[in-house]
Amino acid sequence: MYSTTEENYLKTIYKLQIQLGTFINTNAIADGVNTKAASVTDMMKKLSEKKLLSYEKYKGVQLTEKGKKVAIETLRKHRLWETFLHNQLGFTWDAVHDIAEQLEHIQSNELVEKLDAFLGFPTHDPHGDPIPGRNGVIKESNFILLSVLQKGEKGIISGVVNHSSLFLQHLEKNKLTLGKTIAINEVSSFDLSVKAILDGKEKIQLSNEVVKNILIKKLI
Amino acid sequence: MYSTTEENYLKTIYKLQIQLGTFINTNAIADGVNTKAASVTDMMKKLSEKKLLSYEKYKGVQLTEKGKKVAIETLRKHRLWETFLHNQLGFTWDAVHDIAEQLEHIQSNELVEKLDAFLGFPTHDPHGDPIPGRNGVIKESNFILLSVLQKGEKGIISGVVNHSSLFLQHLEKNKLTLGKTIAINEVSSFDLSVKAILDGKEKIQLSNEVVKNILIKKLI
DNA sequence: CTAAATTTTTAGACTAGCCTAAAAATATTT
DNA sequence: AAATATTTTTAGGCTAGTCTAAAAATTTAG
Ligand SMILES: [Mn+2]
Ligand SMILES: [Mn+2]
Ligand SMILES: [Mn+2]
Ligand SMILES: [Mn+2]
């Protein structure tokens, strides 16, 4: 139905709309799809022509319901495939994104639904991001930043803000994976680094750069 | 490394080489990749430039070792994905081909190897076709046509000649699936249709059109 | 409120892959 | 051995998607 390129544009715009509000500017899109502003302008005209978004010169861009639907379907496929790669094939969480970036464009509704069932209708992908349902509904999780936890509080690692391989590998190496419990012992008022207990056993120390990129579900 | 289009050309030429001999002509390729002869000539120049095949004007085309390697890798991926779709996701054998036609172009060696392991290193796809190994070796199976069996002989259904959805659905509907045993009771000398026993139980009647498109492993 | 900086759009060009129509080469008949 | 038919190649053109450089619009600063 839509090309790989079109789906990538729509998915990127959708994600930008979530984090930045409604009107998305050309440069942000160019950055997101890894191309130049001139190419984005071209594509915006085409997508607007196809009623996937509304575009007004110099004013930015906004997805229509139709465009949002395609974006969410693509996101759904991406996250289901990431889950497959991680849970079934044993890929580490830093390796799944690039492959899912290709797999998300395979066209077959039957495949998506069968994959979903095969995986047991997962609600979150390996990075803790919510997987949109068949109906297109996304249950946004109310995770909070680990950096807002105070001394004495604890939570379960449930997601990440930064999705880069470098960061994910760093977490993996330090056993900071989804499901682990972190209890804050002390927050340095000098560099905001944190001393904590991992899973009630191990003493660990985390830089502010790390704690502000981990999402947790607060306990009690 | 190579585009979807290039991989499709190479895979098609490889299959033609298997069934027709070494030099493959333009029209056969055009037919295989569903395009026009003029487009094939263009592409042959490009693939020849990249040393994937040898091309001499008006003389036809032949894969190099390099080209053969790419073709076999693509065939390996195609058949592994078909196996995944059938064995794990429960797709019927007539539905897997079109989706595998897309999946075979996903680029990741690690994915192929992990998928292979996940599937238990299968040797044949859902149509009975052999799956090339990681080394690129294909164990050609010595299946024979059901139509060569004589009265009193029997065999196990192990593959198909015709891969069309229509034929596969017909077989499915008549429970003529891989692994079933067929014992010949009688061959009509009028229309070459066959009376047989399926799995030692059920009496069946098969047209010549059907028996000459089923491959079996002969018993005793 | 004008001037400078930034962002966005246009203009023109490129590649991959495809097409049609015509020309050239090869194969088949007579 | 011509004549005819078929196959293949060339020529020229199309679309999707990309780029650079220049022009136009908008935003920010003085
Ligand atoms: Mn991802
Ligand atoms: Mn993810
Ligand atoms: Mn197939
Ligand atoms: Mn097959």
Side-chain angles (χ1 to χ4, degrees), chain B residues 67-80:
Chain B
K68 192 176 154 190
K69 186 157 169 277
V70 177
I72 290 176
E73 274 166 13
T74 307
L75 203 57
R76 169 167 159 80
K77 289 194 276 179
H78 181 98
R79 291 178 179 169
L80 283 173

Side-chain angles (χ1 to χ4, degrees), chain B residues 78-79 82 96-97 125-127 129 163:
Chain B
H78 181 98
R79 291 178 179 169
E82 284 192 344
V96 299
H97 180 80
D125 80 6
H127 311 108
D129 294 312
H163 282 65

Side-chain angles (χ1 to χ4, degrees), chain A residues 70-214:
Chain A
V70 176
I72 291 176
E73 273 166 13
T74 307
L75 202 58
R76 169 167 158 80
K77 289 194 277 178
H78 182 98
R79 290 178 180 168
L80 283 173
W81 279 116
E82 283 192 343
T83 304
F84 168 73
L85 294 170
H86 183 70
N87 295 4
Q88 308 294 325
L89 298 193
F91 276 93
T92 54
W93 69 347
D94 58 287
V96 299
H97 180 79
D98 288 354
I99 303 177
E101 211 49 52
Q102 301 178 60
L103 286 163
E104 71 189 0
H105 304 293
I106 302 293
Q107 310 222 290
S108 165
N109 291 329
E110 207 181 343
L111 174 57
V112 182
E113 301 320 320
K114 285 204 150 83
L115 183 64
D116 193 18
F118 180 70
L119 299 171
F121 305 103
T123 57
H124 293 79
D125 81 4
H127 311 107
D129 294 312
I131 299 175
R134 184 178 33 226
N135 46 25
V137 173
I138 307 181
K139 268 220 283 295
E140 284 300 339
S141 356
N142 51 348
F143 302 146
I144 58 174
L145 288 178
L146 177 52
S147 54
V148 311
L149 279 206
Q150 308 285 316
K151 180 176 178 171
E153 297 181 319
K154 59 181 176 178
I156 298 172
I157 300 179
S158 304
V160 292
V161 179
N162 181 338
H163 282 65
S164 74
S165 289
L166 209 62
F167 180 59
L168 296 174
Q169 279 166 20
H170 177 79
L171 294 187
E172 183 91 14
K173 197 152 50 194
N174 292 90
K175 296 184 201 125
L176 296 162
T177 50
L178 293 201
K180 293 287 183 73
T181 300
I182 290 191
I184 308 292
N185 271 352
E186 196 184 329
V187 181
S188 159
S189 44
F190 167 62
D191 63 0
L192 300 175
S193 73
V194 168
K195 283 191 206 298
I197 304 287
L198 187 61
D199 262 355
K201 300 187 281 269
E202 206 176 337
K203 281 185 169 181
I204 55 171
Q205 176 124 15
L206 306 169
S207 71
N208 178 253
E209 195 55 34
V210 164
V211 296
K212 76 183 186 195
N213 277 299
I214 292 179

Side-chain angles (χ1 to χ4, degrees), chain B:
Chain B
M1 191 70 177
Y2 298 103
S3 73
T4 290
T5 309
E6 288 172 328
E7 287 181 349
N8 282 335
Y9 270 95
L10 293 170
K11 198 183 59 161
T12 295
I13 294 166
Y14 175 77
K15 286 203 240 173
L16 288 168
Q17 247 171 238
I18 297 275
Q19 50 169 262
L20 303 177
T22 48
F23 283 90
I24 305 304
N25 56 323
T26 306
N27 271 346
I29 299 170
D31 200 61
V33 298
N34 235 297
T35 185
K36 297 298 157 72
S39 308
V40 173
T41 301
D42 278 358
M43 184 57 88
M44 291 311 101
K45 287 176 187 165
K46 255 184 284 187
L47 295 179
S48 166
E49 201 61 45
K50 295 189 182 182
K51 309 279 185 208
L52 291 161
L53 46 78
S54 61
Y55 165 66
E56 220 184 325
K57 264 194 197 179
Y58 297 101
K59 304 285 182 190
V61 106
Q62 198 174 10
L63 292 183
T64 61
E65 277 307 309
K66 191 179 166 194
K68 192 176 154 190
K69 186 157 169 277
V70 177
I72 290 176
E73 274 166 13
T74 307
L75 203 57
R76 169 167 159 80
K77 289 194 276 179
H78 181 98
R79 291 178 179 169
L80 283 173
W81 280 117
E82 284 192 344
T83 304
F84 169 72
L85 294 171
H86 182 71
N87 295 4
Q88 308 294 324
L89 297 193
F91 276 93
T92 54
W93 69 348
D94 59 287
V96 299
H97 180 80
D98 288 353
I99 303 177
E101 211 47 54
Q102 301 178 61
L103 286 163
E104 71 188 0
H105 304 293
I106 302 294
Q107 310 222 287
S108 165
N109 291 329
E110 208 182 342
L111 175 57
V112 183
E113 300 321 320
K114 285 204 150 81
L115 183 63
D116 193 19
F118 180 70
L119 298 171
F121 305 103
T123 57
H124 294 80
D125 80 6
H127 311 108
D129 294 312
I131 299 174
R134 185 178 32 229
N135 47 25
V137 174
I138 307 181
K139 268 222 281 297
E140 284 301 339
S141 356
N142 51 348
F143 302 145
I144 58 173
L145 288 178
L146 176 53
S147 55
V148 312
L149 278 206
Q150 308 285 316
K151 181 175 178 169
E153 297 182 317
K154 58 182 176 177
I156 298 174
I157 300 180
S158 304
V160 292
V161 178
N162 181 338
H163 282 65
S164 74
S165 288
L166 209 62
F167 180 60
L168 296 174
Q169 279 167 20
H170 177 79
L171 294 186
E172 183 91 14
K173 197 152 50 194
N174 292 89
K175 297 183 200 126
L176 296 162
T177 50
L178 293 200
K180 292 288 183 70
T181 300
I182 290 190
I184 308 292
N185 270 352
E186 195 184 329
V187 180
S188 159
S189 45
F190 167 61
D191 63 2
L192 300 175
S193 72
V194 167
K195 284 191 205 299
I197 305 285
L198 186 61
D199 263 353
K201 297 187 282 270
E202 205 176 339
K203 280 186 168 181
I204 55 170
Q205 175 123 15
L206 305 168
S207 72
N208 177 252
E209 195 55 34
V210 164
V211 297
K212 75 184 187 195
N213 276 298
I214 291 179
L215 292 164
I216 56 133
K217 184 159 63 188
K218 195 173 170 183
L219 287 174
I220 318 174

